[in-house]
Amino acid sequence: MARLKNISGLASLTENQTKQVLFITYYWPPSGGAGVQRCLKFVKHLPEFGITPTIVTVSEKEASYPVLDRSLEADIPAGVRVIRTSTSEPFEFYKKLTGRKEIPYGGFANEKKDSSVQKFFKFLRGNLFIPDARVGWNKYAIKACSELLANEKFEAIITTSPPHSTQLIGLTLQKKFGVKWIADLRDPWTDIYYYKDLQHTAWAKKKDAEYEKAVIENATNLLVTSSDTKRLLLAKSPDIKTKKIKVIPNGYDEEDFQYLSQPPQDAFLITYTGTITETYNIEAFLKAFALVASRHQDIAYKLRFVGKISDEIKNQIEATGLLHLTEIVPFVPHNESVRYLMNTTILLMGIPDVENNYCILPGKLFEYLASNKPIICIGPIHSDADKIIDECGAGRVFHYSAYDLMVDYLDQLSQGWKINHNLDLPFVNYQRYSRRNLAGKLAEIITKK
């Protein structure tokens, strides 16, 4: 019998609630950040489609969460069963040796790139822990899930990642029980933009690619967040059928957007929410903004970053003379980050300037859309993000080097602001990206025979 750390909210199923699904996720409240929200919002809305989720996750006392956000616990439906297990991970050892209180964020936004100690630990992470350093959770999760599958009927199991080691849990369970398995990859695996920073040896890289291929070939269905990610996966094996891969993007939760829009009347405020590092390559934008601010000295400009910002970005802000206009707000709970979206003039978004960035579709894009604010996105043209912003009429995407075009657009917005301090868009066609609608698409995949 698997040792279960905690069982909360045991679901009482009635005759007409026979469709159960087992979610296996490392990130679950009180974990914060973007990664937890996709699974959480699916779980929140699936009961509306006649599906009762059970969640297997890690003990919050033993988990290695980069950030905490207890406000997300309010989204867990009453009566949903949450099973937490033990884990075995290296991050406490990491913190003791480095003297750091934080564990690494995705993309290493909180790590110094030039530190030999950091480079050493990236090498260890990339070569001793494959696919990732949370693989020590797998044996505990497999025991808990095996007990459930041996005693209860589930329509399907869903594994969601990162951490991509979670997908190996699904691979094991499918081989053992022959259950329908939906592998949800929120981000690419070996194509993730910071993969090269892990300094894999040839052996480790080969092993990781073998794991990835086994997952995508054996899962009943694969869920991805963008069309370009689907293209990447199809190229990895001739055995994968196109119809097996379903694109369900991230979205926005209508209930999160109960705040009124209140753009400041005394300042032209540009807001960025989330993690940002020098990989996002916003230097041309910062220079364009500095020029426009010097041209329109009758406007009080402000630039606000809410979340984790790397030292390199801070240095770029200082180098472009924008330090006096910039406010940096540390990580805030999700509900508070939505308030920041509603209380700004326009929004800034960045997509890392890396290989395969056409498939990067940040989850916050959909919350940006729901705010009805003009979006300036710095990223690849004709990417998935560019297509969505264009289809929704929600702003402009600029290539990293499109300095002159950025200046022109900021000039236009500034002239508009002088006439009306509220630049909110009259209509943004984003409703198809509501979390409820997306959960309905997942429900169809779960129940399809």
Side-chain angles (χ1 to χ4, degrees):
M1 297 287 283
R3 183 166 67 93
L4 307 184
K5 294 288 289 187
N6 176 45
I7 299 179
S8 61
L10 287 173
S12 55
L13 300 178
T14 61
E15 287 297 322
N16 61 350
Q17 291 177 310
T18 56
K19 288 182 171 55
Q20 295 192 70
V21 65
L22 180 59
F23 264 98
I24 304 164
T25 177
Y26 185 93
Y27 294 113
W28 186 256
S31 172
V36 68
Q37 292 182 47
R38 181 172 171 88
C39 178
L40 175 62
K41 300 297 187 177
F42 279 147
V43 168
K44 175 181 178 180
H45 293 292
L46 278 175
E48 300 173 40
F49 301 93
I51 295 174
T52 301
T54 292
I55 294 86
V56 171
T57 189
V58 65
S59 165
E60 64 181 270
K61 295 179 180 178
E62 300 177 38
S64 303
Y65 297 146
V67 291
L68 296 175
D69 185 355
R70 292 199 174 273
S71 73
L72 295 175
E73 293 174 333
D75 277 335
I76 303 174
V80 164
R81 179 169 50 169
V82 179
I83 297 172
R84 297 185 181 272
T85 79
S86 292
T87 187
S88 177
E89 299 171 24
F91 289 107
E92 285 304 315
F93 176 69
Y94 165 85
K95 288 192 284 187
K96 287 177 182 177
L97 284 186
T98 60
R100 299 177 67 86
K101 294 182 179 179
E102 296 178 326
I103 64 171
Y105 284 68
F108 312 116
N110 60 337
E111 298 189 35
K112 295 184 182 299
K113 300 293 188 293
D114 57 352
S115 164
S116 58
V117 174
Q118 301 296 346
K119 288 179 180 178
F120 172 69
F121 274 98
K122 286 177 189 176
F123 177 82
L124 290 184
R125 288 171 65 194
N127 294 282
L128 293 186
F129 305 98
I130 304 172
D132 51 67
R134 291 177 175 83
V135 69
W137 177 54
N138 285 21
K139 63 181 180 181
Y140 300 95
I142 289 169
K143 286 183 181 179
C145 292
S146 295
E147 180 180 334
L148 289 166
L149 291 167
N151 292 285
E152 301 180 34
K153 176 177 171 52
F154 292 90
E155 291 290 316
I157 62 171
I158 301 175
T159 49
T160 182
S161 66
H164 293 306
S165 53
T166 304
Q167 302 299 350
L168 302 183
I169 300 170
L171 184 64
T172 299
L173 295 174
Q174 190 198 51
K175 289 180 178 178
K176 186 175 180 180
F177 294 96
V179 65
K180 181 176 182 177
W181 168 33
I182 301 169
D184 177 40
L185 284 85
R186 303 188 306 271
D187 291 323
W189 190 325
T190 58
D191 298 299
I192 192 72
Y193 69 91
Y194 54 81
Y195 194 74
K196 64 181 185 301
D197 293 334
L198 293 172
Q199 305 171 51
H200 291 92
T201 61
W203 176 87
K205 195 171 183 179
K206 180 175 181 290
K207 188 66 176 176
D208 206 12
E210 288 173 353
Y211 280 147
E212 179 185 39
K213 188 177 181 183
V215 167
I216 63 179
E217 286 184 344
N218 287 282
T220 312
N221 289 111
L222 296 164
L223 301 185
V224 294
T225 60
S226 72
S227 298
D228 212 60
T229 302
K230 178 175 180 176
R231 178 189 61 78
L232 287 174
L233 292 184
L234 284 171
K236 291 181 182 295
S237 172
D239 296 331
I240 304 173
K241 305 296 184 185
T242 301
K243 64 181 181 180
K244 172 177 174 172
I245 307 178
K246 310 295 185 182
V247 178
I248 299 185
N250 289 304
Y252 73 97
D253 193 334
E254 294 161 313
E255 293 182 8
D256 291 340
F257 284 82
Q258 303 300 316
Y259 305 112
L260 295 176
S261 175
Q262 295 182 317
Q265 297 302 297
D266 59 346
F268 185 109
L269 175 59
I270 302 175
T271 299
Y272 180 102
T273 63
T275 298
I276 187 166
T277 72
E278 71 282 1
T279 310
Y280 287 65
N281 195 2
I282 65 165
E283 194 167 9
F285 169 81
L286 294 174
K287 291 177 180 178
F289 180 50
L291 175 62
V292 171
S294 69
R295 285 180 175 177
H296 300 273
Q297 296 191 14
D298 54 335
I299 296 179
Y301 290 98
K302 285 185 66 177
L303 180 61
R304 175 182 287 158
F305 291 89
V306 182
K308 192 65 186 179
I309 177 171
S310 72
D311 290 338
E312 290 83 357
I313 293 291
K314 293 176 184 176
N315 292 337
Q316 290 176 11
I317 291 170
E318 185 173 7
T320 48
L322 293 173
L323 205 57
H324 68 294
L325 301 180
T326 303
E327 177 187 8
I328 296 174
V329 180
F331 177 84
V332 298
H334 179 250
N335 57 348
E336 194 173 336
S337 74
V338 172
R339 191 185 294 273
Y340 277 108
L341 298 184
M342 303 305 292
N343 295 349
T344 192
T345 310
I346 66 174
L347 291 165
L348 174 64
M349 190 175 85
I351 293 175
D353 185 9
V354 294
E355 188 178 1
N356 294 321
N357 60 356
Y358 282 79
C359 70
I360 297 177
L361 201 52
K364 69 183 167 196
L365 167 60
F366 304 98
E367 296 194 334
Y368 274 29
L369 293 174
S371 74
N372 269 56
K373 307 287 181 178
I375 299 169
I376 293 180
C377 176
I378 313 302
I381 306 300
H382 305 307
S383 63
D384 288 318
D386 187 6
K387 292 171 186 173
I388 289 175
I389 290 173
D390 183 56
E391 287 170 4
C392 294
R396 293 276 302 276
V397 176
F398 297 95
H399 187 268
Y400 308 97
S401 60
Y403 170 81
D404 291 335
L405 293 175
M406 295 178 204
V407 169
D408 288 344
Y409 190 57
L410 285 167
D411 259 333
Q412 292 174 30
L413 292 171
S414 298
Q415 295 292 355
W417 188 85
K418 291 179 183 180
I419 299 169
N420 183 353
H421 293 349
N422 186 343
L423 297 182
D424 286 8
L425 300 169
F427 175 73
V428 179
N429 182 24
Y430 56 78
Q431 287 75 14
R432 63 188 177 278
Y433 298 114
S434 77
R435 297 285 191 180
R436 180 177 285 104
N437 287 340
L438 298 172
K441 293 181 180 297
L442 176 57
E444 292 175 5
I445 296 169
I446 292 169
T447 56
K448 186 175 182 180
K449 299 301 183 182

